[in-house]
Amino acid sequence: MKPMILLFPALWFFTAALLPAEPLILNRQACLSLAEEHNPDLMDSKLSLAGSRREKEAGWNLFLPSVSAGARVSSFSPLYQ
């Protein structure tokens, strides 16, 4: 009996999810924007372009000068006096 009680709400949920929604009216601009959003090759190209721009903008980091300093002290003293 319990499985039947749980089955009815699940069937109602999935049936409601399958009901038709409002019809999608597409004009030329809507078709182009949908195609642009869901085209995997175009998405890949956009990500590649963004990565290239990021590398170009961060490229100045490689050319910063570096400064280092060192000091040494030595004294000469004869071993035998």
Side-chain angles (χ1 to χ4, degrees):
M1 183 67 178
K2 282 191 178 184
M4 286 297 269
I5 293 173
L6 295 176
L7 183 65
F8 286 121
L11 285 176
W12 179 81
F13 176 76
F14 288 118
T15 304
L18 294 176
L19 289 177
E22 291 183 26
L24 184 61
I25 299 172
L26 297 175
N27 57 12
R28 188 160 129 215
Q29 185 60 35
C31 288
L32 289 174
S33 63
L34 278 174
E36 184 179 348
E37 285 178 21
H38 299 291
N39 185 343
D41 293 332
L42 188 59
M43 286 184 209
D44 188 38
S45 297
K46 284 181 180 181
L47 287 175
S48 177
L49 178 64
S52 297
R53 284 184 178 158
R54 187 170 40 251
E55 286 178 14
K56 179 187 166 214
E57 291 171 359
W60 63 270
N61 291 338
L62 301 175
F63 301 110
L64 288 178
S66 63
V67 177
S68 62
R72 180 183 287 186
V73 175
S74 66
S75 66
F76 178 71
S77 62
L79 294 174
Y80 304 104
Q81 288 186 352

